Amino acid sequence: MSTSSTQSRGINRRFNSLQSNGHASRDGSHPRKRAITHNEAYLYALRVAYLTYLLQPRARRTQHVPAPSTPVHRSSTSINDLMKDFTLIRDSKSTRFPHGFMSELERRLTGVLMGREKKPEYNDATIKRTFAAFFNAFTEQSFKKRMEKDRRVEDLVLIFFSNATKELQKGRPPGDDSWKLMADRHLALFVRLISLVLKDHDWVRDRPELAGRLATLESKLLAHDQDLSSTSTRNGTSAGTAVEVIIPLSYEVKDMPMVQVVARIFGLTNTQVQSDINKYKPVWTERAALQDLKSYQTYLNLNSKKTLRSDDFHFDEAYDCWRKGEDHDLSQMMLAIIQSSPELAKSTPGSILPKFNRQMSSPDSGDASYPDNLSRASETSERSPYVIDQPVDMTTLSSGSQSPVSLSDDENSFMFIPPDPRSFYRFMVAEALTYDLNDKTLQPSEATADAPAVKLFSKQSTELLNELGLRWRIHPVSRMVLSLDVVREKYIDQEKEYTLDTLDAFFNFIKAQPPDTKKIQATMNSWLHDRTKWVVMDTALYQQILSALHEALMRDLYNVMQQCYESKPPSIGPIMYVLETHIYEDSSFSKSREELDAFTGALHEGLQQKAHAMYRSYLEKEVPPNEQSWEFYHVIGLGKAVTALAQKIQKRYKKNPEIMGVNPLTALVETVLPLYAEDARDIVARILDLAQASGQEVPIEDGFQLYGELVDIRRVHGEVLPKVPFPFPIEATLAEFVWRWIRMTESSINDWVDQAIKQDQFRVRTENPQQIPTEEQRHSVSVMDIFSSFNQTIDRVVQLNWDDDLQYARFMTALAKMVGAGIARYCDAVEQRFSKEMDRLSPEQEAAASQTKQEKWLQLAKDTWNNKDKIEPFQFFPESFVKLNNIDFAAQQLDKLEHEVNVDACAAVIQSHAPPVTQRQKKTNNYVFTIKIVEAEDLKACDMNGSSDPYVVLGDEYQKRLAKTRIVYRNLNPRWDESVDIITQGPLNIIATVWDWDAMGDHDCVGRASLKLDPSHFGDFLPREYWLDLDSQGRILLRVSMEGERDDIQFYFGKAFRTLKRTERDMTRIITDKLSAYIHHCLSRRTLRSLTSKGITMSTVSNYFNRNRPQPITQAPSEAEITNALKPLFAYFDDNFAIMNQTLTNTAMVMVMTRLWKEVLVTVEGLLVPPLSDKPSAQRQLSQQELDIVFKWLQYLFDFFHAVDDETGEANGVPLGVLRSPKYFDITTLNFFYFESTDALIRTSERMASATAARQQSQRNRLSAPASLASPAFGGAAGLMGGLPSTRRSKSIMLSRNLGTMKKAKEEKWKEAQADPNDDMILRILRMRPEAERYLKDRSRQRERLAANAAAEIIVKQSLMAGGGRMTGNLPRR
């Protein structure tokens, strides 16, 4: 039959036996229900322990038999004879000690006395005693001093010998001369120590004679004793003989260690146990033990129930393996008994005695080769006394050779084996384990990184259980399983000594690797790790143990997990470790998936209930019961408690987030966070309702803190429950707090600006006034303060991390509007201060203002006579330039802020959430016109005194009064400077009526004027000034602006940038205006005449009155003369630029120089050609010589403003891109046409006009494209003079969103000007040609017609785009 069929037969047979509840073949193969008394267990354990005592190897002791004493004979009786080698050469330096020797000898002697000497011969107590006596004499000061001086060997040796003899004679009886030989030995050791000191310090090389004589002295002293380390002769005695004597057994309990262990386990005294041993000593003999083994072997051969049978194993091969090992163990045990009691062998025939059989070897032998698991508690535990390493052949010792015995299965025929060995063994394991755990003297094992310190079996208990299992023939696996069953029972009963550590330690105890021997390890693997070799009952019991432990551990795990939300919960690590390491990894454990899922569901439900209870406790603690006392901080406190708990649970279970399929954090969050969200929503709503009812407001900071806490909780909720929406609409509920913050900040922005300006002295920020400021120090603190306020305000909203993009974009839009308002106020205040500083009078002007009219005429005559040409530079204040620097710095900071806010992204978010165009409701826009009634001129006099008392009344076309100004008394040129706001939804005609106030009667009408307020004319939001002629006499000045602002963040930033740039341009214009007068003075025709005429002569005067005569050819001025003509202008520039360069930043300096360069170009252009008009000009055309001078001037000025360093070649002035402006190119092109004939110029103009008309027609065709229609231009025909304007709004706020867009718009404007040449310069040249008068008029009418046609087309296209006409459906709508 094959092996597989045999195994299949065996498995089916065993499982059928278990399923049919059939009885086991051996009575002790599984635990019985019979009760075992303590006395029964005690007696069977005691007899085994007593048998161990009987079988132990007999102790032997060594008995010393001293040799007969012999008299001691010395070669010399006088120490003086021994020292002759030194005394004969007393004064020789070669035999003296070296310097420093005494201190080294003292140190070495100290080492001998302290036990630090490595030489073994110096460790004897008697030697230390004599050395100590010498040491006392040696360290005496007088002797030590003498020795250091003389350094003689004989003095040191004699003093040692003297002290040694005195010390050794103490306590000796008279006539005992053994001390003499001992004195020689000690002196020899002292001499050897001297030699060692000399050798260690390399003094032997310098004093070889001294070393040799010391060696000779040592050999003389050891003439009768050559071994200084011998113990037998160390004390002066001679060696004897030693014999071994067997110690007889005392049969007393004090000499029986294992019997004492049994007594301690059962709580008996040695006297009680001694009594029992004396009582049963006649029957508890080696012969009875041998008879038990013979009977057991007989039962084994007869396949009796008293032993294991083949049916008790899963496979026949397992039984055969066990049977082979059992025969081997029985042979070993019988041999051990016979060796212990040889007389038993005499009564047994020699043919049946066990013999050594070295050929017999079984790798699967039983207990003899198997290291019982319980014996592994100590590595030093000895093997059983009756176990022999060599295999023994016991085949001749069979049952046939025994005396006849009764082999009935129903009676117990053994002396040392109990009737139910498994039950008795289990009982003894329980008793031994209980005793050891309660034994306070038993120290636990050392704690390691993997296992805590635990107490288990002691060494003595382990040896006892090992003996019981071996003597009672308990299967090795059965011992392990029965021991584990005891631990299982104790643990489930929850006895305090049996903890998880005990359970884990016991599992590790039975699984520990055996000692490192091939035979034992093979046996261990064979029995423990091969479950097919187990006994059937052990397998069933082991499965029951694992199942019972699993249920108990799961209950413990559930109870521990119910405390996982506590502040200091018990650890689940030990439970999970035992489950995963010892239960789930064991192949014998089996549990259905349904049972595990049921536990998972119950645990998850239990955690949810616990989480709910925890939340309720937090709610009661943080939120008061009275809703009238509710505050936001209560919600915040509750949220912090919930968040802290969630974070603690997350951190606690970070490495193992799931326990048995349950995530404690998920169970907590999915229970607590929805409850918190609902409660927080209701509490917050109630707080807001109560605050609104009481007319109070919740502090904004409370709302912000609440938002931060709620967002954190929502984040945790999203991480754990990504698919479950958070039930609290946080942003919708708390957005009002942000709007309140914005409104509060908006109401304070003007005060911030005013306070910043008030506290600013507008000085450069240098520590020393004489120090040249850096670029970063050239702006003052006010602009830094306001932008610090802006950034803090915006950062406060940004730090909220608002989670609604649309609301966040709207917040940023409102903040952008606030920033724009603050910047506008700052610009207005700074510009007013700047204008006041720049409009002051110079000292000369102040002096001239105080002169009389006669004094003024005299001063004028004096200046004319002295030919005073130089104009003193304007005395600029550094504070004025700092204000300009502030505006420039504000533009840079605003550009930085625009990028940080991410304006384009905010605008895109708002646009993406806007409804489609077709679904948008038509919005009625309100336009706010601000009309400032500035002043009036040349009013009609209505009073008798030739004056009037005017005031203005504004009304609409329906005669509804809109505003009225104050009365200015007795003034025909009044100034009101009063503003009024008029709100309209469309165009509105207003009428300004000037009235004369009369005290008596009706007021007189001075005059009327009307103005149409059309929002389409103010689409760029720029203010406009209107001089309106009155219908009677005089005129009135109105300044009109409109605010029809788009609620768009890009619009607000663009408006703020344009405000800064407009202020910057105005301030720069004021500065350049102070310098432009001298530019016009130097670059004038008078200067040209002075260069070409070189003085006034009579011929010059006659030529002046006779223009028709040809001009004489004069000598051209030299380069030096042309250059000298500009030196006053350059000096004037240098004087003023030196003042500016100390304060203005590089950017502002270049901006001022750029503005001056434009002024230079305008002045040069005025020298060359007259302004554009349709009428001839009286301006004379320059000569070739004059033209050359003008262009040389232009080149000199170009180089001056470019400011190239001669050494480095680096440009420090205005960049080339700015200098080479379109106007500069227009002026340079005049050189090509200036002296052309009139007919050639007319032909060139006509050709350019045709090209311009074609280009304009192409542009009008492109205007039909949807992209162009999206940006209609405003204005009528008057605005189209000179050609068709671009469809791009050159002043659009959207093109001023930041510095980048402004720079790009300027570059595009320059490109368009350079790429779109026109004939304006030719027409201006033709104005100086009288014969071109007719052409100028015709060309002007042609341009007006083109402009009118273009304006009409644009108006039609704008109407179509706005929704008029039949073609609307074919055009896209904005």
Side-chain angles (χ1 to χ4, degrees):
M1 183 179 295
S2 65
T3 304
S4 59
S5 61
T6 305
Q7 293 179 352
S8 175
R9 174 186 60 80
I11 292 175
N12 292 334
R13 184 179 65 201
R14 305 309 182 271
F15 276 96
N16 291 336
S17 175
L18 288 177
Q19 292 174 359
S20 61
N21 296 325
H23 64 276
S25 59
R26 184 191 178 195
D27 294 343
S29 62
H30 58 88
R32 301 192 177 194
K33 298 301 181 180
R34 68 180 294 271
I36 300 176
T37 64
H38 275 72
N39 189 52
E40 291 177 334
Y42 160 69
L43 290 177
Y44 274 101
L46 181 61
R47 66 186 69 182
V48 170
Y50 175 71
L51 179 62
T52 304
Y53 173 73
L54 295 178
L55 298 180
Q56 68 180 354
R58 297 293 186 264
R60 296 174 181 269
R61 65 184 177 195
T62 302
Q63 184 173 350
H64 180 73
V65 180
S69 60
T70 57
V72 178
H73 298 282
R74 296 182 56 186
S75 60
S76 177
T77 58
S78 173
I79 189 64
N80 294 327
D81 295 338
L82 298 175
M83 297 301 297
K84 285 181 180 181
D85 292 338
F86 295 94
T87 57
L88 292 176
I89 49 174
R90 183 180 181 88
D91 297 330
S92 177
K93 294 183 179 179
S94 62
T95 59
R96 292 188 179 185
F97 293 119
H99 290 285
F101 174 79
M102 298 305 166
S103 59
E104 295 299 329
L105 178 61
E106 181 181 358
R107 186 178 299 108
R108 194 66 175 259
L109 289 171
T110 304
V112 171
L113 298 178
M114 298 296 293
R116 295 196 299 267
E117 180 60 44
K118 298 180 179 179
K119 298 295 183 179
E121 55 267 26
Y122 293 96
N123 295 330
D124 187 74
T126 308
I127 293 175
K128 290 183 180 180
R129 184 158 53 89
T130 57
F131 271 60
F134 164 75
F135 187 79
N136 293 332
F138 176 75
T139 55
E140 198 261 329
Q141 291 296 328
S142 60
F143 177 78
K144 187 175 182 181
K145 185 176 181 180
R146 181 164 56 87
M147 286 303 303
E148 289 178 351
K149 178 181 178 181
D150 298 337
R151 296 179 285 115
R152 291 197 299 264
V153 177
E154 58 272 22
D155 295 342
L156 194 65
V157 173
L158 289 175
I159 195 67
F160 179 86
F161 183 77
S162 175
N163 285 276
T165 54
K166 291 179 182 179
E167 187 66 29
L168 292 175
Q169 284 179 351
K170 293 180 180 180
R172 296 283 180 175
D176 187 0
D177 293 336
S178 62
W179 62 269
K180 295 181 180 181
L181 184 60
M182 191 182 303
D184 291 345
R185 279 180 44 81
H186 290 198
L187 183 57
L189 289 174
F190 179 69
V191 173
R192 179 177 294 185
L193 187 66
I194 293 175
S195 300
L196 291 175
V197 173
L198 293 173
K199 183 178 180 181
D200 291 345
H201 293 81
D202 202 20
W203 286 325
V204 177
R205 183 177 56 183
D206 297 335
R207 287 173 170 76
E209 185 178 355
L210 176 61
R213 293 180 184 276
L214 289 173
T216 302
L217 177 61
E218 180 182 349
S219 62
K220 289 180 179 180
L221 291 171
L222 296 178
H224 300 283
D225 188 3
Q226 299 298 326
D227 188 5
L228 294 177
S229 301
S230 175
T231 305
S232 60
T233 61
R234 191 168 297 167
N235 296 321
T237 59
S238 60
T241 59
V243 296
E244 289 187 350
V245 180
I246 298 176
I247 301 176
L249 297 177
S250 64
Y251 296 99
E252 295 181 359
V253 174
K254 63 182 181 62
D255 297 328
M256 304 177 187
M258 193 169 292
V259 171
Q260 295 177 16
V261 174
V262 175
R264 288 195 296 269
I265 291 177
F266 287 93
L268 300 177
T269 64
N270 289 348
T271 304
Q272 293 174 322
V273 176
Q274 186 70 56
S275 174
D276 292 333
I277 290 177
N278 295 336
K279 177 181 178 181
Y280 294 104
K281 183 166 59 173
V283 294
W284 293 352
T285 62
E286 295 94 328
R287 185 179 300 276
L290 182 61
Q291 184 62 38
D292 279 358
L293 294 178
K294 293 179 180 179
S295 302
Y296 180 83
Q297 189 178 39
T298 303
Y299 286 125
L300 187 62
N301 295 332
L302 296 177
N303 200 21
S304 172
K305 295 180 180 180
K306 292 184 177 293
T307 64
L308 293 177
R309 299 186 300 177
S310 60
D311 291 342
D312 293 321
F313 291 87
H314 292 286
F315 303 101
D316 293 337
E317 290 81 357
Y319 173 75
D320 295 340
C321 180
W322 171 81
R323 176 63 187 272
K324 185 184 298 183
E326 196 74 359
D327 291 338
H328 177 268
D329 289 347
L330 291 174
S331 299
Q332 292 277 7
M333 295 170 68
M334 291 181 184
L335 181 61
I337 295 175
I338 293 175
Q339 287 179 343
S340 176
S341 300
E343 65 275 6
L344 295 179
K346 297 179 181 179
S347 62
T348 304
S351 59
I352 63 175
L353 287 178
K355 303 178 181 63
F356 290 108
N357 185 3
R358 300 185 181 273
Q359 306 298 324
M360 180 180 177
S361 177
S362 174
D364 292 327
S365 60
D367 287 306
S369 61
Y370 174 73
D372 197 88
N373 291 302
L374 298 177
S375 67
R376 273 181 260 124
S378 174
E379 296 181 358
T380 61
S381 61
E382 299 178 355
R383 299 170 60 92
S384 298
Y386 42 79
V387 176
I388 304 175
D389 292 335
Q390 294 84 358
V392 181
D393 185 7
M394 295 290 291
T395 54
T396 58
L397 189 60
S398 62
S399 58
S401 62
Q402 305 170 25
S403 59
V405 294
S406 176
L407 299 180
S408 174
D409 289 340
D410 297 332
E411 62 180 8
N412 185 25
S413 58
F414 301 108
M415 176 61 68
F416 291 93
I417 301 176
D420 188 357
R422 287 175 60 96
S423 298
F424 275 83
Y425 184 82
R426 186 183 184 283
F427 186 91
M428 286 304 302
V429 169
E431 292 297 320
L433 188 58
T434 301
Y435 172 78
D436 287 341
L437 292 179
N438 293 325
D439 186 5
K440 297 181 179 180
T441 61
L442 178 62
Q443 297 298 323
S445 62
E446 294 184 2
T448 63
D450 300 327
V454 293
K455 293 172 61 176
L456 211 58
F457 291 108
S458 65
K459 175 185 176 181
Q460 295 78 9
S461 299
T462 303
E463 292 176 352
L464 174 63
L465 294 175
N466 183 41
E467 288 296 322
L468 296 177
L470 194 63
R471 181 60 57 186
W472 292 347
R473 307 312 304 150
I474 306 297
H475 193 280
V477 176
S478 299
R479 304 178 202 173
M480 178 269 293
V481 174
L482 291 173
S483 300
L484 183 61
D485 188 45
V486 171
V487 177
R488 185 270 313 164
E489 181 181 17
K490 299 293 185 179
Y491 177 77
I492 293 178
D493 293 342
Q494 296 184 352
E495 296 187 10
K496 63 180 181 179
E497 295 84 3
Y498 293 83
T499 62
L500 279 171
D501 293 337
T502 306
L503 183 62
D504 174 54
F506 197 85
F507 269 111
N508 294 328
F509 180 71
I510 62 177
K511 293 180 180 179
Q513 291 296 327
D516 191 13
T517 60
K518 296 182 179 180
K519 183 177 180 180
I520 293 178
Q521 187 165 2
T523 305
M524 182 67 180
N525 293 333
S526 176
W527 288 113
L528 289 183
H529 301 291
D530 189 358
R531 302 292 173 88
T532 61
K533 296 183 178 181
W534 282 26
V535 180
V536 175
M537 288 303 300
D538 289 339
T539 302
L541 179 59
Y542 188 67
Q543 292 176 348
Q544 294 174 7
I545 293 172
L546 293 181
S547 179
L549 286 176
H550 179 261
E551 293 180 2
L553 291 172
M554 296 297 272
R555 286 195 301 270
D556 293 344
L557 178 63
Y558 182 88
N559 294 331
V560 171
M561 287 300 296
Q562 292 302 300
Q563 307 175 53
C564 69
Y565 300 138
E566 302 292 341
S567 58
K568 293 183 178 180
S571 175
I572 64 169
I575 300 177
M576 295 303 302
Y577 178 80
V578 173
L579 281 173
E580 295 174 357
T581 306
H582 303 308
I583 304 298
Y584 294 143
E585 291 184 1
D586 200 303
S587 59
S588 298
F589 176 78
S590 61
K591 203 71 173 179
S592 64
R593 183 75 257 178
E594 292 76 11
E595 294 178 348
L596 295 178
D597 291 342
F599 175 79
T600 300
L603 179 59
H604 187 78
E605 183 179 355
L607 289 180
Q608 286 182 326
Q609 295 176 358
K610 187 63 178 179
H612 190 278
M614 290 292 295
Y615 174 74
R616 286 302 165 194
S617 65
Y618 286 152
L619 183 64
E620 295 175 358
K621 179 181 178 182
E622 299 292 341
V623 180
N626 184 12
E627 65 180 18
Q628 299 295 331
S629 59
W630 286 351
E631 298 290 347
F632 275 5
Y633 67 81
H634 293 137
V635 182
I636 295 174
L638 179 60
K640 287 184 180 297
V642 171
T643 305
L645 178 61
Q647 291 175 349
K648 182 166 60 177
I649 298 303
Q650 185 179 25
K651 182 179 180 180
R652 182 178 296 168
Y653 299 100
K654 183 178 182 180
K655 295 183 178 180
N656 299 302
E658 286 194 358
I659 294 92
M660 302 300 295
V662 178
N663 191 322
L665 180 62
T666 303
L668 175 69
V669 172
E670 68 183 9
T671 303
V672 172
L673 293 191
L675 293 174
Y676 172 77
E678 295 174 0
D679 290 341
R681 178 193 60 200
D682 298 339
I683 294 174
V684 170
R686 185 56 180 165
I687 292 174
L688 295 177
D689 292 342
L690 292 175
Q692 183 178 5
S694 61
Q696 300 177 352
E697 288 186 342
V698 179
I700 295 176
E701 285 300 323
D702 291 355
F704 287 172
Q705 292 180 10
L706 176 62
Y707 178 78
E709 187 63 33
L710 292 175
V711 167
D712 289 342
I713 292 177
R714 183 173 59 187
R715 175 183 53 79
V716 176
H717 183 277
E719 292 174 355
V720 181
L721 304 173
K723 297 182 180 180
V724 180
F726 195 66
F728 187 178
I730 305 174
E731 283 73 21
T733 304
L734 302 180
E736 182 58 27
F737 287 91
V738 184
W739 288 118
R740 283 174 52 196
W741 165 263
I742 295 174
R743 289 194 296 269
M744 181 185 69
T745 307
E746 189 176 5
S747 63
S748 305
I749 192 66
N750 291 338
D751 184 60
W752 292 354
V753 174
D754 295 342
Q755 291 298 325
I757 295 176
K758 183 178 179 180
Q759 298 175 8
D760 192 5
Q761 297 180 354
F762 293 97
R763 296 178 182 174
V764 293
R765 296 175 291 106
T766 57
E767 297 180 359
N768 187 358
Q770 304 301 326
Q771 181 183 354
I772 299 177
T774 61
E775 286 291 307
E776 292 76 12
Q777 295 174 338
R778 299 197 175 199
H779 54 268
S780 62
V781 296
S782 60
V783 67
M784 299 173 62
D785 291 342
I786 63 170
F787 270 95
S788 177
S789 301
F790 293 160
N791 289 323
Q792 290 177 5
T793 302
I794 294 176
D795 288 344
R796 188 67 186 91
V797 178
V798 171
Q799 290 171 1
L800 292 175
N801 294 321
W802 203 260
D803 204 22
D804 189 313
D805 292 341
L806 179 60
Q807 288 184 351
Y808 177 79
R810 289 173 178 171
F811 295 156
M812 291 297 107
T813 302
L815 291 174
K817 181 179 179 181
M818 178 206 69
V819 171
I823 289 176
R825 187 168 183 91
Y826 183 78
C827 291
D828 183 60
V830 170
E831 188 175 8
Q832 287 181 9
R833 293 193 175 201
F834 180 84
S835 300
K836 185 177 180 180
E837 294 168 356
M838 300 299 293
D839 291 342
R840 75 186 190 282
L841 298 177
S842 64
E844 294 81 2
Q845 292 173 337
E846 292 179 354
S850 62
Q851 292 177 347
T852 63
K853 187 174 183 181
Q854 185 177 2
E855 290 173 343
K856 292 179 180 179
W857 279 106
L858 289 175
Q859 184 66 35
L860 180 61
K862 187 185 297 183
D863 292 341
T864 304
W865 178 261
N866 294 331
N867 195 19
K868 185 178 180 181
D869 294 334
K870 184 177 180 181
I871 300 177
E872 295 294 332
F874 184 79
Q875 297 297 325
F876 293 102
F877 286 164
E879 292 83 355
S880 302
F881 293 142
V882 171
K883 293 180 177 65
L884 181 58
N885 294 339
N886 286 358
I887 299 300
D888 179 64
F889 179 77
Q892 297 176 13
Q893 292 299 308
L894 186 63
D895 183 70
K896 181 179 178 181
L897 185 63
E898 189 264 353
H899 285 87
E900 291 176 353
V901 172
N902 200 353
V903 170
D904 295 337
C906 293
V909 169
I910 295 178
Q911 181 65 29
S912 65
H913 287 80
V917 178
T918 56
Q919 298 180 6
R920 295 180 188 173
Q921 296 181 357
K922 188 174 181 180
K923 182 179 179 181
T924 302
N925 293 325
N926 290 330
Y927 302 97
V928 180
F929 285 94
T930 301
I931 302 175
K932 186 173 185 179
I933 305 170
V934 183
E935 60 181 343
E937 294 179 353
D938 195 22
L939 296 181
K940 181 178 66 172
C942 297
D943 295 339
M944 298 294 294
N945 58 4
S947 181
S948 295
D949 302 319
Y951 66 92
V952 180
V953 175
L954 291 182
D956 60 10
E957 55 192 350
Y958 304 107
Q959 299 182 355
K960 178 183 178 182
R961 175 180 288 192
L962 301 176
K964 175 187 175 182
T965 67
R966 72 182 190 278
I967 301 171
V968 179
Y969 297 97
R970 295 182 299 278
N971 198 331
L972 296 180
N973 297 291
R975 187 176 185 88
W976 292 281
D977 285 329
E978 294 187 15
S979 301
V980 61
D981 292 336
I982 300 175
I983 301 176
T984 179
Q985 296 180 355
L988 176 67
N989 291 319
I990 62 169
I991 300 172
T993 305
V994 183
W995 294 88
D996 174 51
W997 177 83
D998 287 330
M1000 304 293 293
D1002 296 333
H1003 298 181
D1004 299 326
C1005 179
V1006 179
R1008 291 184 178 87
S1010 64
L1011 177 65
K1012 183 177 181 180
L1013 302 179
D1014 192 346
S1016 62
H1017 295 165
F1018 294 85
D1020 56 359
F1021 302 100
L1022 290 175
R1024 287 172 171 77
E1025 293 183 349
Y1026 296 94
W1027 281 102
L1028 303 178
D1029 295 330
L1030 301 178
D1031 56 0
S1032 56
Q1033 176 185 332
R1035 59 180 184 170
I1036 184 173
L1037 176 61
L1038 300 181
R1039 186 174 296 156
V1040 183
S1041 62
M1042 183 190 75
E1043 294 184 10
E1045 299 181 344
R1046 295 168 49 186
D1047 192 18
D1048 183 90
I1049 189 171
Q1050 294 175 328
F1051 173 83
Y1052 292 131
F1053 268 96
K1055 187 177 180 181
F1057 271 110
R1058 195 171 65 169
T1059 301
L1060 288 171
K1061 286 302 177 183
R1062 185 187 301 154
T1063 303
E1064 191 176 55
R1065 286 194 301 267
D1066 293 344
M1067 295 172 70
T1068 305
R1069 177 183 54 79
I1070 295 173
I1071 294 174
T1072 55
D1073 286 347
K1074 298 296 180 181
L1075 307 177
S1076 60
Y1078 199 63
I1079 296 175
H1080 298 318
H1081 171 76
C1082 295
L1083 301 178
S1084 63
R1085 289 194 173 228
R1086 183 174 62 83
T1087 307
L1088 280 175
R1089 286 195 302 270
S1090 66
L1091 284 174
T1092 55
S1093 63
K1094 297 184 180 180
I1096 301 176
T1097 62
M1098 293 302 295
S1099 61
T1100 304
V1101 176
S1102 62
N1103 290 334
Y1104 179 78
F1105 289 103
N1106 191 1
R1107 295 183 179 181
N1108 295 326
R1109 291 180 58 183
Q1111 299 293 328
I1113 300 175
T1114 59
Q1115 183 180 358
S1118 64
E1119 290 289 335
E1121 291 175 338
I1122 297 174
T1123 305
N1124 290 335
L1126 292 182
K1127 280 187 177 180
L1129 180 60
F1130 290 156
Y1132 183 72
F1133 281 159
D1134 289 337
D1135 291 340
N1136 287 279
F1137 289 169
I1139 299 174
M1140 297 178 187
N1141 197 37
Q1142 294 178 358
T1143 308
L1144 285 178
T1145 62
N1146 291 336
T1147 305
M1149 189 69 187
V1150 171
M1151 185 169 53
V1152 172
M1153 294 179 67
T1154 302
R1155 179 75 185 183
L1156 283 175
W1157 173 247
K1158 292 180 180 179
E1159 192 68 28
V1160 168
L1161 292 179
V1162 171
T1163 305
V1164 171
E1165 186 183 44
L1167 287 175
L1168 298 175
V1169 291
L1172 185 62
S1173 176
D1174 59 349
K1175 295 180 181 180
S1177 172
Q1179 182 175 334
R1180 180 182 62 83
Q1181 187 171 345
L1182 299 179
S1183 63
Q1184 183 65 51
Q1185 191 180 47
E1186 293 172 333
L1187 185 65
D1188 293 341
I1189 293 173
V1190 171
F1191 276 103
K1192 287 182 179 179
W1193 282 352
L1194 183 62
Q1195 184 60 43
Y1196 294 153
L1197 289 167
F1198 185 94
D1199 295 338
F1200 177 81
F1201 278 90
H1202 193 40
V1204 177
D1205 193 334
D1206 295 335
E1207 296 181 358
T1208 62
E1210 182 181 358
N1212 300 318
V1214 182
L1216 284 176
V1218 177
L1219 292 174
R1220 294 172 178 172
S1221 62
K1223 185 174 286 297
Y1224 174 80
F1225 283 106
D1226 289 342
I1227 293 174
T1228 56
T1229 57
L1230 280 174
N1231 211 2
F1232 300 102
F1233 303 106
Y1234 202 75
F1235 294 107
E1236 288 284 337
S1237 64
T1238 303
D1239 293 338
L1241 290 176
I1242 291 175
R1243 287 195 298 271
T1244 303
S1245 175
E1246 289 177 345
R1247 185 170 61 253
M1248 286 185 176
S1250 300
T1252 301
R1255 188 165 53 253
Q1256 291 174 355
Q1257 183 62 38
S1258 176
Q1259 280 185 330
R1260 286 195 295 271
N1261 293 336
R1262 288 199 302 270
L1263 284 176
S1264 61
S1268 298
L1269 290 175
S1271 308
F1274 297 101
L1280 296 172
M1281 287 294 294
L1284 183 67
S1286 171
T1287 57
R1288 178 179 56 84
R1289 290 172 55 194
S1290 60
K1291 298 296 182 180
S1292 172
I1293 289 180
M1294 300 304 291
L1295 296 179
S1296 304
R1297 296 196 305 274
N1298 51 47
L1299 296 179
T1301 57
M1302 296 174 69
K1303 182 178 179 181
K1304 185 177 180 181
K1306 183 179 292 186
E1307 292 175 353
E1308 291 179 356
K1309 180 180 178 181
W1310 283 22
K1311 290 179 181 179
E1312 289 180 2
Q1314 294 178 3
D1316 190 14
N1318 54 58
D1319 59 343
D1320 288 351
M1321 281 299 180
I1322 296 177
L1323 294 177
R1324 296 173 72 173
I1325 296 174
L1326 290 175
R1327 285 197 63 199
M1328 296 184 294
R1329 311 283 179 91
E1331 62 272 17
E1333 178 180 2
R1334 184 178 183 82
Y1335 177 75
L1336 289 174
K1337 292 182 179 180
D1338 293 341
R1339 183 76 179 92
S1340 177
R1341 287 194 292 269
Q1342 179 186 7
R1343 290 164 66 95
E1344 289 180 358
R1345 287 196 304 271
L1346 290 174
N1349 293 336
E1353 289 186 10
I1354 286 192
I1355 291 172
V1356 170
K1357 293 181 184 298
Q1358 289 178 359
S1359 177
L1360 292 174
M1361 189 172 61
R1366 294 175 298 170
M1367 299 176 64
T1368 3
N1370 298 328
L1371 294 175
R1373 302 176 66 87
R1374 291 185 67 186

